[in-house]
Amino acid sequence: MSDPADSQPAAPLRLVDVQVAVAAELDRIGEVIDDLGAAFTEAGHELALVGGPVRDAMLGRRSNDLDFTTSARPEQSERILRAWGDAWWDMGRAFGTIGARKGEWVVEVTTYRSEAYDPDSRKPEVEYGDSLAGDLGRRDFTVNAMAIRLPGREIVDPHGGVLDLAHRVLRTPGTPEQSFSDDPLRMMRAARFAAQLGFDVDEDVVRAMTEMAGRIEIISAERVRDELVKLICAPTPRPGLALLVDTGLADHVLPELPALKLERDEHHRHKDVYDHTLTVLEQAIDLEPRLAERADITAPDFVSRFAALMHDVGKPRTRKFTGDGTVTFHHHDVVGAKITRKRMRALKFSNDEVDAVTKLVELHLRFHGYGTGEWTDSAVRRYVRDAGDQLERLHVLTRADCTTRNKRKADRLRRTYDDLEARIERLAGEEELAAIRPDLDGNQIMEILGIGPGREVGTAYKWLLELRLDNGPMSTEDATAALKQWWAAGGGAAPEPPPQD
């Protein structure tokens, strides 16, 4: 679990440190910003480094992806970037953005603009502006409303972003009500930046988020999804998620999370599911290095994190009170998987992401049937077979799901799962568990039984797979004998109807 000290407010930055950091970063990227600034100036246009790259430079963070704003119109930016870069693209032309790459550097240049939402529209109406000050005034937060004019490297900070950055606070350039009315997604960005940067959110901003939470409904599912992914993949997502819940935004974008705040009373006690869930997420993040050996998984890993966040969402619907004062959540794994699938589809996640997360949610309790190691090899094989390509993530989720404060119990669960993983590794070395399949293929089945393609072949194949899971690998001769015996006993016949009373 994360060190509690990590959640303590960070000390304010000293302005002198900010100045030193930005100077060092501007020197590092000087070959790009000075050259590009000169090119736009020679063409009669203004250019400024803006937004996240300026903020990150002041925080001492490096990036080779640079954002600029300019007085030039898109077609004028295109001409300059064509001559400057190795490649260019205009997928953002509708929003005034032209991109280019030169060596290891990637730049995006956007015409000064202002954008606002019609009350019933999901898409911003883009209008070009004529000044840097006007462009900065329309941005989401003051720490993102700073610029560096090029090629002279003059810092432009009309809204006090440097001071807010030094004090690690998120404020809007104008009133938060106007900012969130212009683009309601900025409310989710406040939560995301709280998670990414470890900043506090100004009280007026929180108040506006709470009062205007319902306005997020006009934003497309895809934009909400992308912002949610960025939040969950932040270094410390818990503060951002808590902000979504506390302001009511989560009720609109991820209602399953606040629903975990189950009512409790003195007669029916159970673990705080909401707090437990956020702790499981933190512990899953701490365990992410275990996934490093998988070439197809990169940290931060959204799938394992979102599975941790959703693993208990079935509990509110399955909670039952018993006469002795205990509480049960029978089948919350299966119910939770269905809820997770529905939510992820509503947010337009890919089928692969939906399948991966829902499989983990559905399987997250399976280990608890292991007891103290009573599973047979057959049960271990089925655990691996059912987890499939999500086995490593299931290891992470299952271990993260232990949040007990009882050290003895926690140590016992850890040792028991260590034992299960050791058995999986042993069987994997002996039996190629990652590719469990019957000892005979479809062609062999048809040849041995003297049948053609059809239902019987599929039935025989499934029976052989279960035999393989029960007994482990078999020789071709033994598998053939077993198949013939099963067939002779009527294994391929249609099941008999149940007896009539």
Side-chain angles (χ1 to χ4, degrees), residues 40-41 43-48 68-77 80 96 109-113 128-132 135 149:
F40 273 78
T41 298
H45 308 295
E46 298 176 358
L47 185 74
F68 299 85
T69 188
T70 181
S71 60
R73 293 301 187 254
E75 61 276 9
Q76 296 168 325
S77 296
I80 297 170
V109 179
T110 302
T111 301
Y112 295 155
R113 68 189 189 190
Y128 296 140
D130 297 314
S131 70
L132 177 59
D135 183 87
R149 288 187 184 274

Side-chain angles (χ1 to χ4, degrees), residues 67-209:
D67 296 328
F68 299 85
T69 188
T70 181
S71 60
R73 293 301 187 254
E75 61 276 9
Q76 296 168 325
S77 296
E78 178 186 328
R79 284 196 294 270
I80 297 170
L81 291 174
R82 275 176 178 260
W84 174 82
D86 302 324
W88 71 280
W89 53 90
D90 66 349
M91 289 179 291
R93 183 183 292 273
F95 297 96
T97 302
I98 306 295
R101 177 183 55 79
K102 186 172 186 178
E104 62 179 338
W105 304 98
V106 175
V107 305
E108 287 192 343
V109 179
T110 302
T111 301
Y112 295 155
R113 68 189 189 190
S114 60
E115 59 186 37
Y117 275 78
D118 181 272
D120 299 317
S121 173
R122 292 187 175 205
K123 296 182 179 180
E125 298 174 355
V126 177
E127 294 182 1
Y128 296 140
D130 297 314
S131 70
L132 177 59
D135 183 87
L136 296 178
R138 68 155 189 94
R139 293 181 178 265
D140 51 8
F141 301 104
T142 60
V143 295
N144 295 328
M146 301 178 287
I148 297 175
R149 288 187 184 274
L150 301 171
R153 300 190 182 183
E154 172 198 354
I155 295 177
V156 180
D157 180 23
H159 303 286
V162 173
L163 192 61
D164 286 342
L165 184 144
H167 288 90
R168 298 181 182 274
V169 64
L170 287 175
R171 292 189 307 110
T172 54
T175 66
E177 291 80 6
Q178 183 60 54
S179 180
F180 298 154
S181 180
D182 287 347
D183 186 352
L185 192 66
R186 290 172 176 172
M187 294 186 287
M188 289 194 66
R189 287 197 195 120
R192 190 241 296 182
F193 286 130
Q196 281 185 336
L197 303 175
F199 283 16
D200 293 325
V201 181
D202 180 76
E203 290 183 3
D204 289 340
V205 173
V206 174
R207 187 180 305 110
M209 291 171 66

Side-chain angles (χ1 to χ4, degrees), residues 408-465:
R408 182 175 297 179
K409 181 179 179 182
D411 288 343
R412 176 177 58 78
L413 287 170
R414 176 184 53 77
R415 289 193 303 269
T416 304
Y417 205 85
D418 286 344
D419 177 70
L420 175 58
E421 285 201 62
R423 289 183 65 188
I424 291 172
E425 185 175 357
R426 176 178 60 79
L427 287 173
E430 296 172 357
E431 304 179 13
E432 299 182 1
L433 284 187
I436 293 180
R437 56 186 179 276
D439 297 290
L440 302 173
D441 62 25
N443 290 327
Q444 290 172 304
I445 291 171
M446 289 188 287
E447 181 179 350
I448 293 167
L449 299 182
I451 60 177
R455 180 186 61 81
E456 294 89 349
V457 178
T459 302
Y461 188 91
K462 291 179 181 178
W463 181 83
L464 284 168
L465 178 58

Side-chain angles (χ1 to χ4, degrees), residues 328-347:
T328 65
F329 302 97
H330 294 314
H331 308 300
H332 77 267
D333 47 345
V334 177
V335 173
K338 292 179 180 178
I339 293 172
T340 299
R341 182 175 295 276
K342 183 177 180 180
R343 175 56 51 199
M344 293 188 74
R345 284 178 171 171
L347 289 171

Side-chain angles (χ1 to χ4, degrees), residues 480-496:
T480 298
L483 177 63
K484 288 181 177 179
Q485 183 179 0
W486 170 79
W487 183 259
E496 294 183 5

